[in-house]
Structures are given as structure tokens and as C-alpha cells.
Amino acid sequence: MRALVLDRPGPLDSLRSTELPVPAPGPGQVRVKVEACGLNPVDYQIAKNGVAGLAWPHVLGLDVAGTVDALGEGVTRVGVGQRVAYHADLRRPGGFAEYTVGDAEVLAQVPAALDLVRAAALPAAGMTAYQALVRRLHVAEGQTVLVNGGAGGVGGFAVQLAAMTGARVFATASARNIDHVRKLGAQAVIDYRTEDVPARVRELTGGRGVDAVVDTVSTESATASLRLLAYGGGLAAVAGRPDITTVAPFTIAPSVHEIALGAAYSSGDEQARTDMAVMLTELCALAADGRLDPLLARTVPLDEVPAALEELAARHVRGKLVMTLG
């Protein structure tokens, strides 16, 4: 099969196309004929820095969508020929290949109304946003939510999902993305380059602060956002946990949630892995019904994945890039 492999950690242009044996599924696994695979920041991070215990050469690509091609021993929840999507374990060979193997328990079946390319845009970013807003922050109608980085993958899904709850949504973005983020459901978009974000948030909330923050930017951004929370508010940190010591004890009593979607694998928690299928199934249903925009920016062929990852690493991509196999 065709695959894009990395022989060792290094620059993205060291990724090479080659032929590999078609993998066989083990117990509890399925083999998937890949149609599409979403690109994520973790792909270029692993390529450049590696991961402890990773076997080389390695196939990147975590957000897989395709058709079940073969079943391992004991698999009953899906069948051959079913269309599925899932977020893969980064320690195993991934989806930048014609075939890959995944755990049956994490698979979401893709509705007929949703094409597999758009399904591949959903897993990592969509589930991270879902986990932050639904599983951790429990955002509800009438609350106020700030999404830092509303034009990115996670941020774009967070804006949409928060707006669906009936919450009042604010977001930060650059000037060129303001209209885009508004269309996703943000009632106010703050240009972080030219505006005083804390002052604007206080203005929008009458000085109270927000009930919830989803920060997709950095540890520093998350730390600064703690001071924008109302009493009892919560912050979900996607790109680095904040320094909670910057908030005096027994004042606003914030809750802080570190979001690490892929740790469902490394933690060994079966319930957490099963919940990935539950979350992605819900996201696929929302996308199939037209209520959730999968944020597909464009598709790229397998050979152009290295250049697309370089673009993603520059942090100026709006929405999601997806690899397709022609």
C-alpha cells in the first residue's frame, strides 16, 4: 500500500512516500480502507520532536475516515463495508496511508448524508471542543462563553457548539477572520491584535466576566483568561494549562480543565476510549443534519501533506485541512 512515512524525528520535508505491507487487524481492531485523513498540529509536532516509545519508521495521521475492510477477532459492533471515522492512537501507525488499523471501540459510524472527507475534519478538533464545552464546562443556555482563537479548528467548533446551547458567545480572532467567526455563531469577535481583550470582555459582560473560557492559544493566554472569569466560572485549556496561582484563593473560585483528547489511549481508561465514539457520533449527526459546519478549508493529496503540515505549523490556517486518496 502507499503510505507517507517518517524515518525519524526531523523536518517535515523528510516525510517520504513509499510502499508498506497492508496491516492486519488484531483482536478488537478493524482495518480501515482510508478515504480521508484530517491534518492536525499534533502531526507536525510528532514529526519534529517524536514521542517516547514510538517505533520508526512511523506513519502519521490521526483523524481517519474510510470504510471497514477487515475485522479482528471479537469485533461485533461494526461490520465490513461500514463507513466510519475515528481519532487514532498517536503511538500507532496512522491514516496517511491507503489502509490503517484502529480499535473498534472508538469508531463512529458516518451517516449517509455526510461524506467521508468532511467526516475526517471532525475528530480531533471537534471532539476537543465537545469535551471542553459539554463534558467539562457544562455550558448552558444563558451563560457567557469566551473562545480564544475562534478561527482555528478547535476554536471554530467551540464557537458553533457553544452557540447551539443558547449561550452568548464571544471570541478572539484576527481582523481577517472576524466575519467568518461571526458566521459560526459568535455574537462579538474581538481583534486580539488591535483591541484590549480584557477591557472588551468586561464591557460586553457589564464588568461581571464570563462563565466559561475555551482557550486554544497558549499557557500564557489561558493564564490571562483566568482573570476574565465570573465567580464560579470554568476554563478549558487546550494548548497548555494556566498558572492557577495567579488567582488569589477563595476569590472567584474558578475550575480549570486540561483537555487532552488523545490521553484516552495512554491513560488506559476504556470508558474514555468508548466516549470518543459517543462524542464523534454526535458530531457526525450534527454535521449530517447541517447544524455543524465541519470547517473544511481544502483537501490535499498524500504527496502534498508535508507542505500542508508546514502551512498548518505557521498557524494561519482557517478551519481544517484534509488529506484525500485519489
Side-chain angles (χ1 to χ4, degrees):
M1 67 173 186
R2 284 191 302 148
L4 194 67
V5 303
L6 186 71
D7 292 306
R8 63 185 61 82
L12 290 167
D13 61 9
S14 64
L15 284 160
R16 61 183 178 86
S17 181
T18 190
E19 293 288 325
L20 293 178
V22 175
Q29 297 180 328
V30 304
R31 183 171 66 215
V32 175
K33 187 179 189 305
V34 178
E35 181 166 321
C37 186
L39 279 63
N40 292 290
V42 68
D43 293 315
Y44 65 74
Q45 292 163 0
I46 293 173
K48 293 180 178 180
N49 304 312
V51 172
L54 203 65
W56 303 97
H58 181 67
V59 178
L60 298 167
L62 299 180
D63 285 357
V64 177
T67 304
V68 175
D69 178 71
L71 305 178
E73 181 183 350
V75 174
T76 58
R77 67 180 300 268
V78 294
V80 171
Q82 288 186 327
R83 302 162 73 246
V84 297
Y86 68 99
H87 180 67
D89 185 344
L90 60 81
R91 299 167 299 179
R92 302 178 191 169
F96 294 153
E98 291 185 291
Y99 293 89
T100 190
V101 167
D103 294 336
E105 64 189 347
V106 304
L107 301 179
Q109 295 189 39
V110 178
L114 180 64
D115 66 79
L116 289 171
V117 174
R118 284 172 171 75
L122 295 172
M127 284 194 284
T128 295
Y130 188 104
Q131 193 175 67
L133 289 160
V134 180
R135 294 287 190 262
R136 303 294 186 84
L137 295 172
H138 306 290
V139 170
E141 183 177 1
Q143 291 187 319
T144 51
V145 179
L146 172 66
V147 178
N148 285 326
V154 175
F157 286 117
V159 169
Q160 293 183 81
L161 292 171
M164 284 181 202
T165 69
R168 188 180 178 205
V169 184
F170 314 135
T172 64
S174 62
R176 72 184 182 92
N177 289 318
I178 286 177
D179 288 344
H180 168 71
V181 177
R182 280 183 179 147
K183 289 176 182 177
L184 294 177
Q187 295 184 21
V189 184
I190 306 167
D191 184 345
Y192 65 89
R193 291 175 175 167
T194 62
E195 297 186 74
D196 183 330
V197 175
R200 186 79 175 102
V201 169
R202 293 188 190 97
E203 177 188 350
L204 289 165
T205 61
R208 177 177 178 267
V210 294
D211 296 296
V213 174
V214 177
D215 187 87
T216 72
V217 179
S218 66
T219 291
E220 293 74 21
S221 175
T223 300
S225 293
L226 285 172
R227 295 188 287 276
L228 302 179
L229 290 172
Y231 174 80
L235 182 144
V238 174
R241 65 178 71 174
D243 180 0
I244 190 68
T245 65
T246 60
V247 176
F250 303 104
T251 54
I252 63 170
S255 62
V256 174
H257 308 272
E258 181 181 49
I259 308 300
L261 182 71
Y265 288 106
S266 58
S267 69
D269 190 323
E270 182 178 354
Q271 184 174 330
R273 293 193 300 276
T274 301
D275 193 45
M276 289 203 291
V278 173
M279 292 188 289
L280 187 53
T281 296
E282 174 67 13
L283 292 170
C284 285
L286 290 171
D289 290 345
R291 289 179 288 167
L292 181 73
D293 183 348
L295 301 175
L296 178 64
R298 73 174 194 275
T299 62
V300 297
L302 183 65
D303 291 345
E304 293 181 17
V305 165
L309 288 174
E310 290 280 12
E311 183 181 353
L312 194 63
R315 299 178 65 90
H316 295 303
V317 174
R318 184 170 76 186
K320 296 292 298 180
L321 302 178
V322 173
M323 181 277 297
T324 57
L325 289 172

